Amino acid sequence: MNDWPDAWSDDNRNNGGNRYGRGSAGAQPESARVMRQVRRGPSTPGPGQGAPPYRGVPQQPTYDDGQGYDDGYGQGQGQGYDSGYNTGQVYGGGRGGFVPNDNDPDPDYQNYRPRPNWRRRIKWTAITLVTLLVVVSVGTYFWADSKLHRDVDLSKVIDRPETGEGTNYLIVGSDSRAGMSAEEKKKLHTGSAEGKRTDSMMILHVGGNGDTLISLPRDSNVTIPTFRGSESGKIKGPLGANKLNAAYAFDGPTLLVRTIEYNTGLHIDHYVEIGFAGFAKIVDSVGGVEMNLDQGFKDKYSGADFKKGKQTLNGEQALAFVRTRHAFAASDLQRTKNQQKFLSALAHQVATPSTVLNPFKLYPTMGAGLDSLTVDKDMSLWDLAEMFWAMKGVTSGDGKSMNMPISGSTGGNLVWDKAKVKTLVSELKNDEKVTVSGN
């Protein structure tokens, strides 16, 4: 093996005669260059041995840690040192074990993008949507619940009949003008009478054998019994024979409930009332209600002026439609039929996807409706929702809608058919299919 002479310089190496290698113009290929032996042992030169000049190849470091080394060419000793050429770890791990590095000049790395984890994305999207839905639902519930006016205390009603099967709602439309300006009263043709009376009364029975909606004509001839005053708490009456709507005029909702229970024997579970202004606002909030009228009619008292055929009624027109009775020979009986017909159309309009799925339409509708309702103290939003869907189903033909059976009239008041009423009440109390028909 040949070693470089101690004083070998760069010039000697480059200008040698038949040397081959880098910079050589010779035709022969360069033979394998043999590395000089690296001295082992103490780095200090021994006696009589000078260190080679530094002008040539720099003095090589010693890698002796007692374990030997491997120079990568098979001439090292031991296994204590590994240059890393065999594992590809010299430059930060090599390509075999790729480790991302922002300073890596490799253009493939510079364009590297991690593969998206779609399963994780879908999971977190679903969790976010469910959380948002829960938050909105809870918020909507408390918002809606705060708008209910629970002003009617049915515990003040005395001598009540036993509770039957199913749930009975008393739904009342009053001519209350509370909160209405003089301009609104004129526009809606409500007049300016003091106090309030009932313009419509209905019993909605919700049960397992079909739901039933029964209209109670306001001119029904009934007996107003003894009752506890809603304000004084004292026992009053009886007031004797009178129109049904007079009970409400005398002492409000609790006396009306007491009178209906006394004359029918049917227990009323919940009470719901809406006034003129609230009714008109609900209709306007859904953009009007389409009706198909069998005949046109006019009524100067209610302001009605309708033509035959399809038309969309706004709040003002809808109120006139459900209040009109002087334009019909059947008077109050025809009015109750029109009220049921309109409620059917209104319920369908409220329940359409264009209303339910549109928050800009849904919330104003809910706000207008809930803000206008007066209910009993035990009424919950779930009870109210049950009532709404049951009414929608009945007026759509899934249940039965009818007037209270009438046998005749006396002094202008309508007389109930006692036999039919008894059968009807028995079927409702036992939650049986209603077989009785009304006028």
Side-chain angles (χ1 to χ4, degrees):
M1 180 177 294
N2 295 323
D3 292 336
W4 289 334
D6 289 343
W8 194 272
S9 66
D10 291 340
D11 294 337
N12 296 129
R13 283 182 281 122
N14 291 336
N15 297 326
N18 290 326
R19 298 290 181 181
Y20 298 99
R22 184 169 52 191
S24 172
Q28 277 187 303
E30 180 182 10
S31 61
R33 180 177 296 169
V34 180
M35 291 182 64
R36 64 174 299 209
Q37 294 293 330
V38 178
R39 182 181 181 84
R40 294 179 176 79
S43 59
T44 304
Q49 185 179 7
Y54 195 74
R55 292 178 61 247
V57 178
Q59 185 172 354
Q60 301 298 310
T62 300
Y63 296 96
D64 188 2
D65 58 358
Q67 300 296 325
Y69 80 105
D70 184 357
D71 63 3
Y73 290 93
Q75 298 186 20
Q77 298 177 7
Q79 302 297 327
Y81 170 80
D82 186 355
S83 64
Y85 283 96
N86 295 330
T87 62
Q89 302 298 319
V90 178
Y91 298 108
R95 290 294 135 196
F98 178 69
V99 178
N101 184 347
D102 290 339
N103 297 320
D104 194 331
D106 187 346
D108 291 339
Y109 169 71
Q110 297 296 333
N111 297 326
Y112 172 77
R113 293 292 184 274
R115 180 179 298 175
N117 189 333
W118 290 108
R119 181 177 298 178
R120 185 177 181 183
R121 289 187 180 184
I122 293 173
K123 171 186 174 182
W124 282 107
T125 299
I127 292 175
T128 302
L129 290 176
V130 170
T131 302
L132 181 62
L133 179 62
V134 170
V135 171
V136 171
S137 299
V138 172
T140 299
Y141 177 87
F142 284 104
W143 167 78
D145 189 72
S146 67
K147 283 187 166 293
L148 280 179
H149 301 285
R150 297 182 172 91
D151 300 332
V152 180
D153 188 359
L154 294 182
S155 67
K156 294 181 179 180
V157 180
I158 63 173
D159 300 333
R160 308 194 68 183
E162 293 182 1
T163 302
E165 299 293 328
T167 305
N168 299 313
Y169 296 87
L170 178 59
I171 305 170
V172 175
S174 76
D175 64 359
S176 172
R177 300 159 179 83
M180 295 176 64
S181 65
E183 184 180 350
E184 288 175 325
K185 292 177 183 178
K186 182 178 180 180
K187 179 182 178 181
L188 298 177
H189 301 274
T190 63
S192 300
E194 294 297 326
K196 57 182 182 178
R197 286 149 293 279
T198 56
D199 256 34
S200 62
M201 290 163 283
M202 302 178 186
I203 295 175
L204 174 64
H205 174 80
V206 180
N209 285 301
D211 305 325
T212 305
L213 182 64
I214 308 161
S215 289
L216 309 176
R218 54 178 275 176
D219 293 337
S220 297
N221 190 70
V222 296
T223 299
I224 300 179
T226 56
F227 62 97
R228 177 182 286 118
S230 58
E231 297 295 335
S232 66
K234 296 179 179 180
I235 302 299
K236 300 181 178 181
L239 301 180
N242 213 317
K243 290 183 178 181
L244 180 59
N245 68 336
Y248 184 93
F250 285 144
D251 200 52
T254 54
L255 181 53
L256 178 61
V257 171
R258 164 70 172 142
T259 301
I260 291 174
E261 289 186 343
Y262 177 83
N263 285 270
T264 63
L266 187 67
H267 182 93
I268 301 299
D269 299 292
H270 292 293
Y271 178 92
V272 181
E273 177 186 329
I274 186 169
F276 280 163
F279 182 82
K281 287 179 180 178
I282 293 174
V283 175
D284 286 334
S285 67
V286 296
V289 176
E290 185 178 275
M291 296 288 295
N292 189 7
L293 306 184
D294 297 330
Q295 63 179 32
F297 58 87
K298 292 183 179 182
D299 183 8
K300 65 178 183 179
Y301 296 99
S302 66
D305 186 2
F306 300 107
K307 295 181 179 180
K308 179 180 178 180
K310 286 186 177 181
Q311 51 206 289
T312 299
L313 309 186
N314 60 26
E316 177 186 348
Q317 295 168 324
L319 186 59
F321 179 80
V322 298
R323 293 183 63 218
T324 298
R325 60 178 179 137
H326 294 94
F328 311 119
S331 188
D332 209 28
L333 290 177
Q334 181 59 46
R335 177 168 69 169
T336 57
K337 292 179 181 179
N338 285 344
Q339 289 170 349
Q340 291 182 357
K341 185 176 182 179
F342 183 82
L343 287 177
S344 173
L346 176 60
H348 276 82
Q349 182 65 32
V350 171
T352 56
S354 62
T355 299
V356 176
L357 300 180
N358 184 355
F360 298 103
K361 207 171 183 179
L362 175 63
Y363 283 94
T365 301
M366 290 178 61
L370 295 171
D371 217 17
S372 307
L373 294 179
T374 299
V375 300
D376 64 272
K377 293 184 179 298
D378 295 326
M379 174 75 82
S380 69
L381 285 178
W382 305 117
D383 295 324
L384 198 61
E386 178 189 56
M387 183 199 78
F388 173 80
W389 289 111
M391 179 175 288
K392 178 181 179 297
V394 168
T395 53
S396 301
D398 294 336
K400 185 179 181 68
S401 59
M402 56 183 288
N403 277 322
M404 185 66 79
I406 303 297
S407 61
S409 64
T410 177
N413 296 342
L414 298 174
V415 178
W416 293 353
D417 187 319
K418 292 184 179 180
K420 287 186 176 182
V421 170
K422 183 178 180 179
T423 302
L424 173 63
V425 171
S426 176
E427 291 173 342
L428 293 177
K429 291 180 73 171
N430 296 309
D431 197 21
E432 299 171 348
K433 185 176 179 62
V434 172
T435 60
V436 178
S437 60
N439 299 72

